[in-house]
Amino acid sequence: MGRLDWKRSGRFNANYETTEIMASLRGRQHEVGESVQYYRYSHTDPAGEDLYDEATGQGKVYAGPYRIPTLHVIHSQGAAQDTPQGMYSVDNLSITASFDALRKLGFTDQDIEHDKYLTDRLVYDDAVFRVTSIAVLGQIQNRDIIVSIEAVQVKPDELVNDVQFAHWSQPA
């Protein structure tokens, strides 16, 4: 890290530091990190019904899968809820990744700020998840470094009309 009392000249400026951090994160991701498959919802070819957001025709269309190298993944089982239809539980997924990895897939700051990811899907541990939030966890001079992706499981009965996820629409 550069000295705080120095002016903006010298080798250790914000550009140098963020470049070094990103290189280190890529190295860690490839050595000990896991990966998830990311499917981006195609906003240009919607096949969903507008009112209830249900699939119509051949189902919703997603681009991908894109492999996202991650720094850390937590897959936690949801608590069982007693409903009139019986016991129901939904798993949660929490991912920590570098923003650089998402940027290479076409993500921008605007995608995160305007919630364009809310219809995207993830596949991890042979289960499909719906992205619920993406948050920036670290920045250096307005350059995003680390992001967190939170997701909840999409049950097989919710995937029956999505052709791309037909493999996961069969109950286990």
Side-chain angles (χ1 to χ4, degrees):
M1 204 63 181
R3 287 181 39 184
L4 297 177
D5 62 338
W6 283 20
K7 296 181 180 175
R8 293 185 184 207
S9 61
R11 178 177 169 197
F12 299 107
N13 58 24
N15 285 334
Y16 175 83
E17 294 293 337
T18 55
T19 301
E20 291 296 309
I21 289 169
M22 291 299 182
S24 297
L25 290 176
R26 277 191 302 274
R28 185 184 191 293
Q29 288 168 343
H30 293 294
E31 287 297 318
V32 296
E34 296 184 64
S35 65
V36 297
Q37 293 178 347
Y38 198 98
Y39 292 81
R40 293 203 70 184
Y41 179 68
S42 176
H43 292 278
T44 59
D45 189 16
E49 194 268 322
D50 290 335
L51 184 60
Y52 296 107
D53 193 34
E54 293 179 354
T56 60
Q58 293 184 3
K60 297 177 185 174
V61 177
Y62 293 88
Y66 302 105
R67 183 185 161 277
I68 297 180
T70 64
L71 297 168
H72 191 66
V73 178
I74 300 172
H75 180 186
S76 57
Q77 291 184 332
Q81 301 172 4
D82 192 14
T83 66
Q85 294 80 19
M87 297 299 272
Y88 190 79
S89 67
V90 177
D91 291 358
N92 297 302
L93 192 67
S94 181
I95 299 166
T96 306
S98 74
F99 182 73
D100 191 43
L102 291 178
R103 189 174 44 82
K104 289 180 179 178
L105 299 179
F107 267 93
T108 65
D109 295 327
Q110 296 300 316
D111 290 333
I112 294 174
E113 289 174 14
H114 298 290
D115 300 338
K116 291 185 178 179
Y117 54 81
L118 288 175
T119 49
D120 294 349
R121 300 284 187 258
L122 292 165
V123 173
Y124 182 77
D125 272 350
D126 205 32
V128 178
F129 295 85
R130 176 178 51 86
V131 178
T132 57
S133 70
I134 296 179
V136 175
L137 300 180
Q139 287 184 333
I140 294 179
Q141 289 188 352
N142 295 324
R143 293 177 184 96
D144 298 339
I145 304 294
I146 303 288
V147 294
S148 168
I149 302 173
E150 301 295 325
V152 295
Q153 184 180 11
V154 180
K155 291 293 195 174
D157 60 333
E158 300 173 64
L159 296 169
V160 293
N161 292 328
D162 289 334
V163 175
Q164 284 179 281
F165 299 106
H167 169 73
W168 295 282
S169 67
Q170 306 303 318

